[in-house]
Amino acid sequence: MLLRPRQKLFVERSLAALSTRDNTLGVAPTGAGKTIMLSAVTGRMTGDGAKACVLAHRDELTSQNRAKFARVNHRTETSVVDATTKSWNGQVTFAMAPTLARAANLAAMPKLDLLVIDEAHHAVAESYRRIIGRVRDANPEARVFGVTATPNRGDRKGLREVFDNVADQVRLGELIASGHLVPPRTFVIDVGVQEQLRAVRKTADDYDMGAVAAIMNRAPITEEVVRHWEEKAGNRQTVVFCSTVAHAMNVATAFNEAGNPAAVVLGDMGSTERKIVLEAYASGEVQVIVNVAVLTEGWDHPPTSCVVLLRPSSYKSTMIQMVGRGLRTVDPAEHPGVVKIDCIVLDFGISSLTHGTLEQDVDLDGRDPTPGEAPTKTCPDCEAEIPLASRQCPICGHEFQGGTVTTPL
């Protein structure tokens, strides 16, 4: 499989870092081809018979990573360690982190030369640290390579205890400019609750979603959500992010009652039930897929060309993950007849106003900008300081070119 020029550069920079260090982190947004680049690095580093393990935190990612690895390294034997299979026979083993982290499974893990961590922002979790520690104990010369789209964790816990350097960072703007991602067209839609949302208290992880639901999970607001969606994105496949299960159920009901086929994916669904719902969405039987923090990362359906945010995110990384679900381009061979030139983002909360641009600088110490530190710009007419993402000044009405459209009720 041929890599694109930017992917080749990412691979070369990662290999260069790993030639002199025992760890490195690569950062690339959704749609950059992280799994392909990860596979290329792993294949190059195991070409002399070295043994590697690729970690992921969910079954779906483990099987997806293994399949894509085979496209890049079709002669390399692979094996799997997950809830049902525990084989280290392959030169490269694809393992589910929660399974491997158990004591008995760690004890059975052979000496590794390379540990690869997909969605590497999870690497500082206790289960991952146990795995990394076991790898290092067995082989002090082992390398650890991580790849993630969102290196700045929501809890502001830095990654430096695992990764002390960044080999490369692919920027979102690079991929949009090169045509490998579609540009977002963001509408911040004021349904009269922005001030209430700003007053919601934050927990250790995010906003208090129960309090968010008390504000957002109301019939008049949900009716406006459906109305604006029909007006701006009614023919698009759409993913909706809600605050609570009850909120998600009510939103899906409202879409269905308006004649727009919708379904809900929830965290407590069995894998078979979830697969059925996602397949219905992939086939077009369902047009709107509604979820609560289930489809934030590790899931993609490229024809998705609208993202609806019905919950705020106190951390920029969460917003980037949610919006990223709609930025992939469409392969006409896989989705014949589907045309996608952009992604409409309908933000009914305050995330876009708070965080501005989707670009994010890497900080291995975890110092993600707080809402109070969100980037701003000065209105040239009234000199008010307003969020960088705003397209219209809320004080004097000055119109900016590009950016975000604010549409009041």
Side-chain angles (χ1 to χ4, degrees), residues 184-401:
R185 284 203 297 136
T186 302
F187 297 82
V188 178
I189 301 169
D190 182 6
V191 290
V193 297
Q194 290 179 353
E195 291 308 313
Q196 294 177 61
L197 290 174
R198 287 190 178 95
V200 172
R201 72 179 182 88
K202 299 180 183 67
T203 66
D205 298 321
D206 209 327
Y207 285 100
D208 179 343
M209 288 302 160
V212 171
I215 297 168
M216 298 297 293
N217 189 16
R218 292 186 286 141
I221 290 178
T222 303
E223 290 170 3
E224 284 300 306
V225 169
V226 175
R227 182 177 72 81
H228 277 282
W229 178 84
E230 290 178 335
E231 177 185 298
K232 298 175 177 64
N235 64 340
R236 296 179 179 232
Q237 282 205 283
T238 298
V239 59
V240 181
F241 292 91
C242 291
S243 54
T244 64
V245 170
H247 187 201
M249 298 296 287
N250 289 339
V251 168
T253 297
F255 272 101
N256 280 314
E257 289 179 347
N260 307 298
V264 179
V265 172
L266 302 175
D268 60 359
M269 275 183 170
S271 58
T272 300
E273 185 181 5
R274 181 185 300 184
K275 183 179 180 182
I276 290 172
V277 174
L278 292 177
E279 285 179 349
Y281 179 69
S283 71
E285 178 185 345
V286 167
Q287 186 176 8
V288 179
I289 192 85
V290 186
N291 80 108
V292 182
V294 176
L295 305 179
T296 308
E297 65 180 42
W299 169 83
D300 286 292
H301 177 58
T304 299
S305 58
C306 178
V307 177
V308 179
L309 306 180
L310 300 185
R311 49 147 293 183
S313 52
S314 60
Y315 299 108
K316 187 173 187 175
S317 57
T318 306
M319 182 187 77
I320 292 171
Q321 287 173 327
M322 291 189 292
V323 174
R325 300 310 104 198
L327 300 185
R328 284 188 182 274
T329 57
V330 172
D331 182 346
E334 293 183 15
H335 305 281
V338 176
V339 177
K340 179 178 177 182
I341 61 172
D342 59 21
C343 175
I344 289 178
V345 180
L346 303 181
D347 187 350
F348 291 86
I350 56 174
S351 296
S352 299
L353 293 175
T354 298
H355 301 299
T357 175
L358 292 174
E359 298 286 12
Q360 185 179 43
D361 291 329
V362 180
D363 192 321
L364 294 175
D365 296 308
R367 295 170 299 203
D368 199 19
T370 66
E373 297 166 343
T376 62
K377 59 186 175 185
T378 301
C379 173
D381 290 345
C382 69
E383 298 187 349
E385 288 293 314
I386 62 176
L388 182 63
S390 296
R391 182 172 173 180
Q392 184 181 59
C393 176
I395 307 302
C396 70
H398 174 82
E399 296 281 347
F400 291 87
Q401 295 299 314

Side-chain angles (χ1 to χ4, degrees), residues 105-129:
N105 296 330
L106 275 181
M109 182 172 66
K111 177 183 174 182
L112 297 176
D113 301 291
L114 174 67
L115 179 67
V116 181
I117 305 176
D118 190 15
E119 305 289 1
H121 49 281
H122 294 292
V124 292
E126 182 180 348
S127 58
Y128 282 77
R129 294 309 306 273

Side-chain angles (χ1 to χ4, degrees), residues 52-69:
C53 175
V54 179
L55 278 183
H57 65 291
R58 290 213 313 267
D59 276 334
E60 299 96 320
L61 288 177
T62 301
S63 58
Q64 174 183 297
N65 288 350
R66 189 185 187 194
K68 289 189 177 180
F69 180 88

